Amino acid sequence: ADPVSIVYIPKNTGNPYFDSIIKGFEDGCKTLGCDFTTVAPASAEATSQIPFVTAQIQRGVNVVAISPNSPDALNQVFDRARGKGTIILSVNSDMPGNEAHRDAAILPVDFTKTGPSQVELLGKQIGYEGEIAILSATTDAPDQNVWIAAMKETLEKDPKYAKMKLVTIAYGDDDPQKSTTETEALLANYPNLKGIISPTTVGVAAAAQVVETAKKADKVKVVGLGTPNQMRRFIENGTVEAFQLWSPYNQGLLAANFAVGVKNGSIKNEAGTVFEVPGLGKVTVEKDSVIKTQADLTTFDKSNIADFNF
Amino acid sequence: MTSVDKTPAAPGRVIVREAAAPRPRWQVWLIRPEVVTLLLLVVASVVATRLSPFFADLGFILESSTYYIEFAIVALVLTIVIISGEIDLSPAAQMALSACLFGTAFKAGAPIPVAIGVSLLSGLVMGLFNGALVTILRLPSIIVTIGTLILYRGLAQVLAGDKSISGFPGWFVGIDYRMVGIVPVPVLIFIAASILLGLFLGITIYGRQIYQIGTSEIAAIHAGIRVRRIKMGLFIASGLTSSIAGLMVASRLGSVRYDLASGGELTMVLIVMLGGTYIFGGRGSILGTFLAAWLLVIIATGMTVANIAINAQLTVMGLLLIVSIIATNAIYARSQR
Amino acid sequence: MTNAAPLVSARGISKSFGGVEVLRNVDLDLMPGEVHALLGENGAGKSTFAKILAGVHRPTRGTIELGGKPVEIGSPIGAQRLGITLIHQEPISFPDLSVAENLVIGQVGAKPLGRVRWAELAKEARRLMGLLNVPIDVTVPMRGLSIADQQMVEIARALASDSRLIIMDEPTAALTPKEVETLFTIVRRLREEGRTIIFISHRLEEVRAICDRVTIFRDGDKIETATTASLSDADIIRRMIGRPVADYLHRGTSHVGEVALSVRNLTLPGRFENISFDIRKGEIVGLGGLVGAGRTDVARAVFGVAPATSGVIEIDGKPVSIKEPTDAIGLGIALVSEDRAIAGIFRSLPVETNITAAVPKRIAPRGIIRRAVEKVLAKQSVDKLSIRLASVRQPIGELSGGNQQKAILARWLLAEPDILILDEPTRGIDIGVKAEFYDMIGALAADGRAILLISSELPELLALSDRILVMSEGKLTADIPRAEASQETIMHAAVPRSGRHTVSGAAA
Amino acid sequence: MNAVARLFRAREAGILVMLVLFVAVVSLIQPRFFSVETLRIVLLAVPLILVAAMGQMMVLVARHVDLSIGSILGFSAIAAGMIFRDHPELPLAVGFAVGVLSGAALGFVNGLVVTVFKLPSIIVTLGTLSLYRGLLFILSGSKQIDPNDIPEPLIRMAQTSPIDIPWIVIIAFAVAFATWLFLTYSQIGRQIYAIGSNPVAAPLRGIRVMPVTILVFTLSGALAGLAGLIYAARFGYVNPGITGVGFEFTVIAAVVIGGVSINGGAGSVLGTVLGVLLLGSVQVALPILGVSGFWQNAIYGGIILIALVIDRTVRQGGLRGLLARGGA
Ligand SMILES: Nc1ncnc2c1ncn2[C@@H]1O[C@H](COP(=O)(O)OP(=O)(O)OP(=O)(O)O)[C@@H](O)[C@H]1O
Ligand SMILES: Nc1ncnc2c1ncn2[C@@H]1O[C@H](COP(=O)(O)OP(=O)(O)OP(=O)(O)O)[C@@H](O)[C@H]1O
Ligand SMILES: [Mg+2]
Ligand SMILES: [Mg+2]
């Protein structure tokens, strides 16, 4: 039989985060013997991925893995693809409320753990005391909102964090310029601010840059989710003590294994299925066909940053 | 006045400067921008077929065309606006704002027909606003519509935030998957609109007057043509068409967001220019725009299905726009005496 | 200036615009230190010749020698390098720049990155304007200066350059007699410095006052060059016109009827004020004046292109409101405007489309154009006015100027107007076609139409009009019955008497 | 100078009043806005726009427009960033030279196409907006320049200088000053105004319209290139898909607000600086006031339209002239 063909469509081209996912796909397919290609639109706008999906259906690709730019704008084209037997995998983020339109979602970590883990990372640095703020991406980003809700809950419920006060949530739209001005406004509006949590790669880098520029690195701590290559400078010069992330690479690797397995019939796409991924160990398919690559976030700091390159 | 020793000039006697001989008929027919567009269309189809074995499939091309057809429909009206000597760069933003208004009205509990009404009304008001700035305050349309393009999209953002609004009823959603034969409904709308607007421009007195206004606005005013009224009408038509296109996008996607159709102004201008409409007004045709829309579909779809990276696509589109205006300009300069 | 070698010697200069020859085989020698007049009717080719010397146009054929050496004058900068400066007939200016800057900008010798020394610039500008006796602030922007002041700046600019050849194209058209005198003093001084000056004017007394020699053009041909003293006024005029003015048809004024158009106290601030006149059915009323007097503005106001702010227009005794040309057309008014290229033709559109432009209802009663009807109407017009063309589908831009003008007249005849305003209807038209036009105008009046004829050609006005109105600086200064009308009476009323600053274009 | 001062006095006063009013109103609502800290933020936000605005202003004065500056900015930033990344041994100046020169080259192409083919600059630069973005994707291989590839000294330019005002602020105002000198005291500078004021008359007056126009586009490109380096310094990375996208509208907004006439011929450096400051203040004020960022575009669009209407009103002699009919 022909080898399984997989196409991965990231949010947009030129985004380094997705390059690691692509690397994972490539390595996975090398060992599995599947065909892998990747195509991407120029901008991460809601509709820009649609023509790419249609073209892949036409090409007769077996699996379309995609990091969707919109939770719902792609529903119809996905339905059509699946009608023609194409498997649709949502990678890195899911489509909340529209799970029925894709076959499975490959997510990086257990999202319920992200919020508390970030709060703890910051708390440790500021002595669990003082005003803190969150710099998010867009108000509409589903994963962001899940994490922010979890952060709020942790701050309220866990007595350990009782003296930490969340003063505001700002939205930088994953745009460096806007994230910068928003962070500057945070510093201006809250002179006593002790820390900023930015669970988005663009935001955390912008926040770090602002704090460095304002020479407030010792007063205001920045934590968040970032990629090592973007944050290396700030770790090395001490602006940022630590940040977290999962391994995007593993998502690609896992997605490739899962896709080939489902296509071959060796993996059943239903809750409770357990399968083995070389290098990752045993993975379980959860409710709604959600699959997570790892349980906990990796924390990056001076000690280990040199070991990563993505 | 003294008498002069010369015989009075009689009509028959003097040297008469005759009209220049007209260009041969075949030149008039063959050397025109639409022919260039048609040639490009043929070339693009052949190249696309060569590039990817998956391309030559009418059903696929028609399906893919639905992603560009909304812009193409607005481009038809934009063609007329440009022939009249103006330009409208705000339709894509108008599409977004009217679609967001539709979504917001729907979310607020309005029945779909009412929400559609709201959206169409907003198209009318936006067109009216553009038109008023251009025809009453006499501001240049090119910069006015850059201003309103930012304003309208900004208002869409204020209205909808960055949330996408969805949950429209099933009958409203999926216009691009309703087929007549193998032809999706939006494509049918485009074809019908092309025929209607082509006839409007070609055989009605308004079409005639629009060409006259674009050729020389001052001469048109002197000939008693109601220039302002016609231009105002065109801007309103552009607004209305944009809101219809916005609704079509809402139906196709089943959701709306403020960034809907973002960057669409470039695509629309590209289509009109590729169709050989003269940027300075007075010349151009719906046929050209019709062909150019298909040219765009073929090129974009061909490159996408051949997995050609987006960078090459942007480069090709930019080059194509520049080359096409140079060609159009050259052809018109040639026939201009 | 006696037997020295000529400074400029032009040989066989011809120039065509779009196939129409406007200069044919002109030979001309200009001596150092002479003031040389170019004379000729409107459209004779004077400005075109001047522009060829100044590098604005390139001749279609012919050679130019400067100081004995053949030269290519490829551009205005090239001309300036060679020491040739042109004062344009219509003053050209940069409205956003100051007067002082307008005097020097683009001058040769200025280094691109050279420093602009504002204080010195202003000082020099004041000196130049002082020479010309023009008391204006040189630091204000050019925008808002009157045409006359703009003309003075243009003259000052020529003085600032140390050119060997200065060409003045109708510099006096907008000036008061006193200003003309100042200009002449300066021209005399330039002559003494050994510079050559070409002086273009329609006023013979000015030519007599200042020019050593004259060259007369007629319809693109050079007729003669002679010393001024050797020609009488009558000689000059005969050579300029080349035809007996008296032979234009004289119509009787017998069949004049009711008042068709009556204008009362029409005012458009900055352009014209308190204009009142009547035109009767079957009457041809001439409207004369110098360029810029405001005649066109009055016509545009009556036709609704740029309505007056106050005043009353009555048609057949009833006051009417005319806000745009559509209103005027509905009331039976037609305007053949002076600027055919811009306000008349649709250059790239077919002749038939051009002819039927003002009668949409006739070619498209229900909104859909009836091609057959259109074609018939156009063909009939073409036959009636003997418009010479290859096909009615031909773009009108391919026709000669006279035939274009006929097509525009045809457009308005189709509208069957009761009142016809003709603004310089024969500008830039061959003599033969002109004669046809005169016949047509006469016939139209005989038909009972009221005609307002605006013309800068006095013979034309005198020959055709039953009555002549004259405007000067936005005011009606005379209403001369046919019997009393002469070139002198008209010019007398046309020359501005007041200060210079009354006619000012853009209100600041 | 006297003449120039007088020419533009009224307009600049108007913008200054707008700026003062804006600051006053915002400070009343939110007293924290009126502080050294805010001034610092505004000053940091300004250089990027200011440098590019100087170029765009010259283009507008010459009666053209350059929509491609966002893509040029991205291209130059990527080009310079690739030098920094791939040749860290080279001095900073090489990166600057690459950024500015690549911008100048792209601007030169704009000017060439506009003048040689006599095409409207708005359409040409709309085309190159897309073309240059495509080229920059190709050049960069769609890879972004990461923060650790941006040299430390460049980053520090956005933070400090011997006189404790960040270098980029000093550079931006120096560019503005140089532009002012160039436009006010050089022959070419005045010729730019002349061309915009009356394009038909300019060649008759011996002005070489084509080279001057090409120069203007080249300068606009070079300054957009410089803005690319300022971007890299301030944001610490360059992304092919993000850097400079939509930047042209911000800059045109600033310039038009600064009283530069879209009909060419009129506009001053001082006015543009004030326009940029006003826009920068709006940018900074919105989050400080807690106004949703969603308002930003609507406000920009509104201000542009208001500035246009004011421009027209000034030119037509008050509202009456503006609304008067006729005068084709
Ligand atoms: N750029 C042009 N294109 C076409 N025709 C032109 C152009 N310039 C002049 N003409 C025509 O050339 C002829 C000569 O014009 P020119 O301006 O030289 O006349 P003139 O003798 O200066 O007349 P006037 O006394 O009215 O200034 C006219 O018929 C005019 O219409
Ligand atoms: N100061 C001025 N600044 C700018 N334009 C002016 C000025 N004065 C007059 N004009 C314009 O010059 C043109 C000629 O003026 P006008 O129509 O008043 O004169 P006219 O008597 O009809 O002259 P012509 O013999 O050229 O037809 C008009 O279009 C008028 O608007
Ligand atoms: Mg002349
Ligand atoms: Mg006139």
Side-chain angles (χ1 to χ4, degrees):
Chain A
D2 283 344
V4 178
S5 53
I6 305 177
V7 165
Y8 173 56
I9 306 176
K11 278 178 184 289
N12 59 341
T13 185
N15 191 330
Y17 176 85
F18 297 105
D19 290 346
S20 316
I21 298 185
I22 291 170
K23 190 85 179 42
F25 269 109
E26 281 169 352
D27 290 356
C29 271
K30 224 173 274 163
T31 44
L32 292 161
C34 43
D35 267 353
F36 174 73
T37 25
T38 176
V39 287
S43 65
E45 166 231 331
T47 58
S48 57
Q49 293 168 317
I50 299 178
F52 289 88
V53 178
T54 310
Q56 297 315 321
I57 307 173
Q58 178 71 7
R59 290 179 71 88
V61 170
N62 301 127
V63 180
V64 171
I66 183 168
S67 301
N69 281 333
S70 158
D72 48 21
L74 292 142
N75 290 353
Q76 317 212 31
V77 73
F78 285 170
D79 291 350
R80 208 163 144 70
R82 296 172 70 208
K84 296 213 168 161
T86 312
I87 297 172
I88 300 285
L89 295 183
S90 171
V91 177
N92 192 57
S93 55
D94 205 352
M95 305 158 54
N98 299 287
E99 286 86 353
H101 299 277
R102 48 90 177 140
D103 290 284
I106 314 291
L107 301 182
V109 285
D110 186 348
F111 277 180
T112 56
K113 294 191 180 165
T114 310
S117 157
Q118 291 269 302
V119 171
E120 168 59 24
L121 189 66
L122 181 62
K124 217 164 47 194
Q125 295 178 27
I126 62 173
Y128 303 102
E129 196 174 331
E131 294 182 354
I132 64 167
I134 296 173
L135 174 68
S136 175
T138 61
T139 57
D140 196 29
D143 41 6
Q144 296 279 322
N145 289 340
V146 171
W147 301 331
I148 291 171
M151 287 178 204
K152 281 183 178 161
E153 198 183 298
T154 311
L155 288 169
E156 268 166 36
K157 300 264 165 71
D158 193 333
K160 186 175 173 191
Y161 308 114
K163 288 188 181 158
M164 284 167 68
K165 186 167 160 266
L166 177 64
V167 288
T168 190
I169 301 166
Y171 295 91
D173 288 356
D174 265 354
D175 169 65
Q177 213 153 338
K178 184 135 189 293
S179 305
T180 301
T181 39
E182 289 291 339
T183 313
E184 281 164 343
L186 286 180
L187 298 187
N189 276 348
Y190 303 97
N192 299 323
L193 200 67
K194 286 276 176 297
I196 297 173
I197 304 176
S198 183
T200 154
T201 56
V202 175
V204 72
Q209 182 87 26
V210 169
V211 167
E212 182 190 350
T213 303
K215 303 184 192 85
K216 288 190 174 161
D218 46 344
K219 277 189 63 193
V220 183
K221 298 291 170 196
V222 175
V223 301
L225 302 179
T227 63
N229 281 351
Q230 293 211 57
M231 298 302 290
R232 194 180 319 274
R233 251 194 73 239
F234 304 112
I235 294 286
E236 284 169 358
N237 69 20
T239 308
V240 174
E241 279 179 30
F243 63 95
Q244 298 177 317
L245 199 67
W246 45 77
S247 162
Y249 174 89
N250 288 351
Q251 290 186 69
L253 192 63
L254 174 68
N257 277 280
F258 179 73
V260 172
V262 170
K263 192 72 204 167
N264 292 341
S266 61
I267 300 174
K268 271 218 180 69
N269 180 14
E270 51 186 44
T273 307
V274 177
F275 60 97
E276 174 97 23
V277 177
L280 290 181
K282 280 197 178 0
V283 184
T284 313
V285 180
E286 297 171 21
K287 187 168 153 285
D288 282 337
S289 293
V290 171
I291 306 153
K292 291 166 191 150
T293 43
Q294 64 193 80
D296 294 311
L297 292 162
T298 312
T299 301
F300 303 88
D301 54 25
K302 266 210 172 82
S303 68
N304 66 353
I305 187 93
D307 306 337
F308 298 90
N309 181 20
F310 66 91
Chain B
M1 293 278 90
T2 48
S3 70
V4 178
D5 54 359
K6 233 188 155 189
T7 46
R13 262 198 66 245
V14 289
I15 335 112
V16 178
R17 286 163 195 168
E18 295 285 353
R23 290 194 296 146
R25 205 157 257 266
W26 66 268
Q27 273 196 12
V28 176
W29 276 103
L30 281 185
I31 305 186
R32 49 196 298 159
E34 291 93 336
V35 176
V36 177
T37 316
L38 187 64
L39 278 179
L40 283 174
L41 185 57
V42 172
V43 172
S45 307
V46 172
V47 171
T49 312
R50 286 286 165 93
L51 272 179
S52 168
F54 305 105
F55 173 77
D57 171 350
L58 192 58
F60 165 64
I61 294 173
L62 284 175
E63 185 191 344
S64 299
S65 72
T66 55
Y67 309 134
Y68 309 95
I69 224 79
E70 293 115 358
F71 292 153
I73 291 173
V74 183
L76 293 172
V77 179
L78 183 59
T79 306
I80 304 181
V81 173
I82 292 181
I83 289 175
S84 84
E86 300 290 342
I87 195 167
D88 187 353
L89 291 176
S90 69
Q94 298 187 31
M95 285 170 71
L97 180 49
S98 57
C100 284
L101 272 168
F102 164 80
T104 312
F106 172 75
K107 273 276 121 70
I112 291 272
V114 174
I116 290 178
V118 168
S119 160
L120 293 179
L121 185 70
S122 75
L124 192 125
V125 171
M126 287 185 280
L128 197 74
F129 186 61
N130 281 339
L133 288 172
V134 173
T135 63
I136 298 176
L137 294 190
R138 297 176 179 287
L139 294 166
S141 53
I142 196 143
I143 193 91
V144 161
T145 54
I146 285 184
T148 53
L149 119 79
I150 301 173
L151 176 69
Y152 294 158
R153 194 167 293 279
L155 290 177
Q157 214 173 345
V158 170
L159 195 69
D162 51 18
K163 292 193 180 14
S164 77
I165 304 172
S166 56
F168 309 128
W171 67 265
F172 177 80
V173 173
I175 189 173
D176 55 325
Y177 291 129
R178 310 271 152 75
M179 305 278 177
V180 176
I182 59 161
V183 186
V185 168
V187 177
L188 275 185
I189 296 179
F190 173 60
I191 294 172
S194 300
I195 293 171
L196 276 178
L197 290 175
L199 288 177
F200 171 77
L201 204 53
I203 69 169
T204 71
I205 191 71
Y206 303 105
R208 163 72 59 81
Q209 294 187 336
I210 286 166
Y211 279 104
Q212 290 173 334
I213 294 170
T215 306
S216 169
E217 177 166 349
I218 298 176
I221 293 172
H222 279 84
I225 296 169
R226 293 180 192 269
V227 173
R228 288 184 181 201
R229 197 178 293 186
I230 289 178
K231 284 191 172 171
M232 180 64 104
L234 289 180
F235 278 104
I236 292 175
S238 172
L240 271 179
T241 314
S242 301
S243 65
I244 292 171
L247 288 170
M248 287 171 65
V249 179
S251 163
R252 176 162 65 82
L253 299 178
S255 75
V256 298
R257 240 175 84 102
Y258 83 93
D259 67 356
L260 174 149
S262 69
E265 52 278 348
L266 179 63
T267 313
M268 295 172 199
V269 173
L270 177 73
I271 294 175
V272 179
M273 294 293 113
L274 278 181
T277 294
Y278 191 43
I279 184 67
F280 298 111
R283 294 147 182 252
S285 67
I286 292 292
L287 175 66
T289 303
F290 180 80
L291 292 173
W294 291 109
L295 176 60
L296 177 77
V297 167
I298 299 291
I299 293 176
T301 309
M303 291 203 284
T304 307
V305 82
N307 277 352
I308 289 175
I310 193 72
N311 15 356
Q313 299 202 18
L314 281 171
T315 313
V316 168
M317 293 299 174
L319 272 180
L320 211 57
L321 176 55
I322 292 169
V323 169
S324 81
I325 43 171
I326 291 176
T328 308
N329 243 36
I331 288 176
Y332 283 137
R334 206 175 161 281
S335 63
Q336 179 95 52
R337 304 220 188 183
Chain C
M1 67 143 282
T2 39
N3 40 19
L7 173 70
V8 178
S9 115
R11 287 288 169 271
I13 301 291
S14 298
K15 175 71 188 171
S16 311
F17 287 112
V20 179
E21 219 168 39
V22 300
L23 276 183
R24 261 179 307 268
N25 258 328
V26 174
D27 297 339
L28 191 62
D29 285 334
L30 297 166
M31 298 299 165
E34 78 162 329
V35 181
H36 194 118
L38 297 188
L39 290 171
E41 278 194 297
N42 289 118
K46 307 177 296 285
S47 297
T48 305
F49 184 74
K51 284 178 182 170
I52 286 174
L53 287 181
V56 176
H57 294 320
R58 279 165 166 273
T60 320
R61 278 190 311 277
T63 56
I64 298 169
E65 285 183 12
L66 189 72
K69 283 192 288 284
V71 288
E72 277 279 313
I73 310 176
S75 65
I77 315 173
Q80 281 183 29
R81 290 244 164 75
L82 294 168
I84 302 172
T85 299
L86 168 64
I87 298 172
H88 288 261
Q89 183 168 2
E90 281 90 27
I92 58 172
S93 68
F94 302 103
D96 297 292
L97 302 189
S98 71
V99 172
E101 284 198 83
N102 266 280
L103 283 171
V104 299
I105 192 127
Q107 225 162 44
V108 278
K111 289 194 202 74
L113 279 172
R115 184 169 154 202
V116 179
R117 292 171 199 279
W118 290 95
E120 286 168 33
L121 182 60
K123 216 170 96 195
E124 171 68 6
R126 268 184 221 111
R127 186 184 70 81
L128 287 167
M129 297 316 283
L131 279 182
L132 290 171
N133 258 327
V134 185
I136 53 175
D137 182 351
V138 296
T139 62
V140 299
M142 197 75 174
R143 182 191 307 285
L145 253 58
S146 70
I147 292 276
D149 282 342
Q150 289 184 27
Q151 192 71 56
M152 284 311 225
V153 172
E154 185 109 339
I155 293 167
R157 182 185 160 83
L159 297 182
S161 71
D162 46 352
S163 296
R164 289 185 280 177
L165 172 62
I166 299 176
I167 308 165
M168 304 184 171
D169 194 351
E170 304 203 23
T172 56
L175 303 186
T176 61
K178 224 180 116 215
E179 286 165 333
V180 171
E181 219 19 77
T182 316
L183 174 66
F184 282 1
T185 318
I186 287 164
V187 168
R188 289 194 190 96
R189 212 174 63 217
L190 292 173
R191 170 166 57 192
E192 270 146 37
E193 289 170 11
R195 306 205 216 181
T196 305
I197 288 156
I198 294 181
F199 185 84
I200 302 176
S201 174
H202 287 290
R203 301 180 190 164
L204 290 185
E205 66 281 7
E206 290 176 4
V207 171
R208 292 220 172 273
I210 193 92
C211 298
D212 306 304
R213 295 199 297 161
V214 299
T215 292
I216 299 163
F217 282 71
R218 187 205 307 152
D219 285 316
D221 294 312
K222 190 190 97 166
I223 301 299
E224 183 170 352
T225 299
T227 54
T228 315
S230 70
L231 293 176
S232 73
D233 278 10
D235 294 336
I236 292 177
I237 290 171
R238 183 165 50 223
R239 284 165 177 76
M240 272 167 58
I241 300 175
R243 64 184 179 268
V245 175
D247 284 350
Y248 291 155
L249 88 163
H250 263 278
R251 302 175 322 98
T253 51
S254 49
H255 47 268
V256 164
E258 306 272 275
V259 172
L261 172 73
S262 166
V263 168
R264 289 287 167 269
N265 298 324
L266 219 54
T267 300
L268 182 62
R271 296 300 175 90
F272 54 83
E273 43 190 276
N274 278 325
I275 306 292
S276 304
F277 60 85
D278 292 336
I279 307 176
R280 295 166 176 278
K281 290 185 174 143
E283 189 182 29
I284 302 178
V285 175
L287 179 54
L290 299 179
V291 169
R295 297 165 299 169
T296 297
D297 288 328
V298 170
R300 282 154 48 97
V302 172
F303 193 60
V305 177
T309 46
S310 64
V312 183
I313 299 173
E314 288 178 9
I315 290 183
D316 295 334
K318 284 188 284 290
V320 294
S321 147
I322 300 176
K323 293 213 180 72
E324 52 182 352
T326 327
D327 302 338
I329 295 168
L331 292 163
I333 307 178
L335 167 69
V336 174
S337 72
E338 65 177 342
D339 197 345
R340 183 176 60 233
I342 291 176
I345 60 166
F346 301 107
R347 180 170 295 278
S348 56
L349 299 182
V351 176
E352 56 177 356
T353 310
N354 271 279
I355 290 179
T356 56
V359 287
K361 287 268 152 51
R362 283 177 72 181
I363 58 164
R366 289 209 193 79
I368 311 283
I369 295 171
R370 303 195 172 163
R371 297 259 177 197
V373 174
E374 177 175 34
K375 197 164 205 120
V376 168
L377 284 179
K379 284 230 161 100
Q380 281 172 355
S381 301
V382 166
D383 290 345
K384 199 161 116 199
L385 302 186
S386 19
I387 302 174
R388 294 175 188 90
L389 39 61
S391 145
V392 287
R393 298 287 307 153
Q394 195 174 9
I396 197 168
E398 294 178 357
L399 267 55
S400 71
N403 283 309
Q404 289 178 8
Q405 188 74 342
K406 281 186 182 176
I408 300 301
L409 188 63
R411 173 193 296 171
W412 291 112
L413 295 186
L414 276 185
E416 295 173 348
D418 302 320
I419 301 158
L420 189 57
I421 307 173
L422 302 169
D423 193 355
E424 313 275 8
T426 61
R427 179 180 279 179
I429 285 181
D430 305 61
I431 299 182
V433 182
K434 254 186 200 175
E436 286 181 48
F437 254 91
Y438 296 154
D439 287 338
M440 278 176 218
I441 294 170
L444 288 169
D447 255 15
R449 296 177 213 273
I451 294 176
L452 180 65
L453 173 69
I454 302 175
S455 176
S456 300
E457 292 186 40
L458 295 182
E460 181 173 298
L461 272 185
L462 287 166
L464 290 172
S465 317
D466 296 317
R467 204 148 54 80
I468 297 176
L469 308 170
V470 184
M471 280 185 74
S472 175
E473 297 190 305
K475 295 195 189 74
L476 213 51
T477 48
D479 182 348
I480 310 170
R482 169 189 209 98
E484 294 161 27
S486 69
Q487 299 227 5
E488 288 70 38
T489 48
I490 296 174
M491 280 315 282
H492 185 79
V495 173
R497 319 249 142 222
S498 59
R500 266 187 296 102
H501 301 273
T502 38
V503 180
S504 166
Chain D
M1 178 58 243
N2 190 8
V4 182
R6 210 181 303 179
L7 261 173
F8 300 119
R9 199 157 49 192
R11 281 189 179 198
E12 281 143 16
I15 309 155
L16 192 61
V17 168
M18 258 168 90
L19 180 60
V20 170
L21 271 181
F22 180 81
V23 171
V25 169
V26 175
S27 304
L28 274 182
I29 302 172
Q30 177 54 273
R32 226 180 293 119
F33 183 76
F34 198 78
S35 68
V36 179
E37 174 69 9
T38 318
L39 181 66
R40 193 188 68 88
I41 302 176
V42 172
L43 281 182
L44 270 176
V46 155
L48 188 63
I49 311 174
L50 184 57
V51 168
M54 286 299 126
Q56 188 70 252
M57 175 209 156
M58 286 188 260
V59 176
L60 283 183
V61 166
R63 216 183 266 198
H64 283 284
V65 66
D66 185 352
L67 293 182
S68 69
I69 51 169
S71 297
I72 294 182
L73 183 154
F75 189 97
S76 300
I78 285 279
M82 288 173 70
I83 296 287
F84 295 140
R85 184 187 65 201
D86 302 337
H87 302 280
E89 72 283 358
L90 292 175
L92 200 59
V94 176
F96 264 85
V98 166
V100 173
L101 290 180
S102 61
L106 298 183
F108 178 80
V109 172
N110 282 338
L112 205 63
V113 175
V114 166
T115 52
V116 169
F117 297 101
K118 298 196 170 53
L119 295 172
S121 51
I122 184 137
I123 298 297
V124 170
T125 53
L126 200 58
T128 52
L129 161 80
S130 162
L131 176 64
Y132 295 164
R133 182 65 60 182
L135 290 180
L136 97 86
F137 271 120
I138 292 174
L139 174 75
S140 65
S142 298
K143 292 265 181 297
Q144 86 164 25
I145 309 295
D146 282 323
N148 26 331
D149 298 324
I150 307 282
E152 204 58 43
L154 184 61
I155 300 281
R156 252 178 275 121
M157 293 182 76
Q159 298 169 353
T160 181
S161 80
I163 52 170
D164 218 39
I165 296 169
W167 272 115
I168 56 169
V169 179
I170 297 175
I171 291 177
F173 281 91
V175 165
F177 184 70
T179 309
W180 177 76
L181 282 182
F182 172 67
L183 284 180
T184 318
Y185 287 106
S186 80
Q187 300 288 346
I188 295 192
R190 302 316 299 169
Q191 293 186 0
I192 296 173
Y193 279 95
I195 291 173
S197 190
N198 189 346
V200 180
L204 298 178
R205 278 291 191 242
I207 294 171
R208 294 168 190 278
V209 176
M210 187 166 158
V212 174
T213 307
I214 292 179
L215 174 77
V216 166
F217 275 100
T218 308
L219 285 176
S220 168
L223 289 174
L226 181 61
L229 283 147
I230 293 177
Y231 185 101
R234 177 156 156 72
F235 298 116
Y237 83 111
V238 186
N239 184 291
I242 296 175
T243 300
V245 173
F247 184 60
E248 55 279 352
F249 290 133
T250 313
V251 172
I252 290 174
V255 175
V256 172
I257 292 165
V260 177
S261 168
I262 42 150
N263 294 315
S268 74
V269 169
L270 182 57
T272 308
V273 170
L274 291 172
V276 173
L277 282 174
L278 180 57
L279 212 64
S281 307
V282 173
Q283 230 175 46
V284 172
L286 290 186
I288 288 188
L289 285 175
V291 175
S292 150
F294 302 142
W295 277 95
Q296 185 166 310
N297 277 326
I299 290 175
Y300 281 6
I303 297 186
I304 291 181
L305 291 175
I306 292 170
L308 282 178
V309 173
I310 291 176
D311 180 53
R312 179 43 53 104
T313 318
V314 169
R315 291 207 150 208
Q316 303 239 325
L319 264 181
R320 239 186 81 195
L322 184 68
L323 295 169
R325 317 190 97 226

